[in-house]
Amino acid sequence: QVQLVESGGGLVQAGGSLRLSCAASGRTFNSYAMGWFRQFPGKEREFVAAISGSGSITYYTDSVKGRFTISRDNAKNTVYLQMNSLKPEDTAVYYCAGRQSTVYSFYYRPYEYDYWGQGTQVTVSS
């Protein structure tokens, strides 16, 4: 069983930056593909970014390309989401997710993930 704990959310002005962190329990973190999702009020959870277990492959939804960067530190069992040039429409609850995988795979559908964090609120004011 893997536990994921997000941190780093908060309130920021438009154009600002935040870095989300997701700390994972367990000893084989590099065998887990990781992803970030977000959920707007009344909407389904949507994909934001994903990273392979090795960290060598990343994938983003179009709306965040060039603004957000997903990365991981396998020695610290942590995945990050650096969010720059934030917009009010980025306001949502952000979740990290993980699943066991080969080191070069990534996933972007919520049902493909087995483990989820509790979520962290990101609010961008205009």
Side-chain angles (χ1 to χ4, degrees):
Q1 189 78 5
V2 173
Q3 292 187 324
L4 303 175
V5 179
E6 300 105 335
S7 60
L11 173 64
V12 64
Q13 287 190 328
S17 298
L18 281 175
R19 189 176 80 156
L20 305 183
S21 299
C22 175
S25 63
R27 286 182 266 180
T28 57
F29 185 61
N30 63 352
S31 68
Y32 282 79
M34 301 297 293
W36 285 97
F37 291 77
R38 62 188 178 185
Q39 190 165 21
F40 305 109
K43 296 294 182 79
E44 297 286 321
R45 204 166 291 189
E46 69 171 38
F47 170 75
V48 176
I51 189 166
S52 61
S54 66
S56 61
I57 300 173
T58 57
Y59 184 64
Y60 300 89
T61 192
D62 286 346
S63 62
V64 308
K65 283 180 182 176
R67 301 189 299 124
F68 291 11
T69 302
I70 188 171
S71 62
R72 66 191 297 159
D73 185 337
N74 286 342
K76 295 183 178 180
N77 280 19
T78 303
V79 63
Y80 305 97
L81 185 68
Q82 178 66 44
M83 304 185 294
N84 299 329
S85 303
L86 281 161
K87 305 175 182 179
E89 52 264 43
D90 294 317
T91 295
V93 178
Y94 283 71
Y95 297 89
C96 73
R99 61 160 287 164
Q100 282 194 301
S101 173
T102 60
V103 294
Y104 297 114
S105 298
F106 65 90
Y107 305 88
Y108 59 92
R109 301 180 183 90
Y111 69 80
E112 294 177 305
Y113 286 89
D114 299 312
Y115 305 102
W116 292 85
Q118 80 287 356
T120 185
Q121 177 70 45
V122 170
T123 302
V124 184
S125 64
S126 56

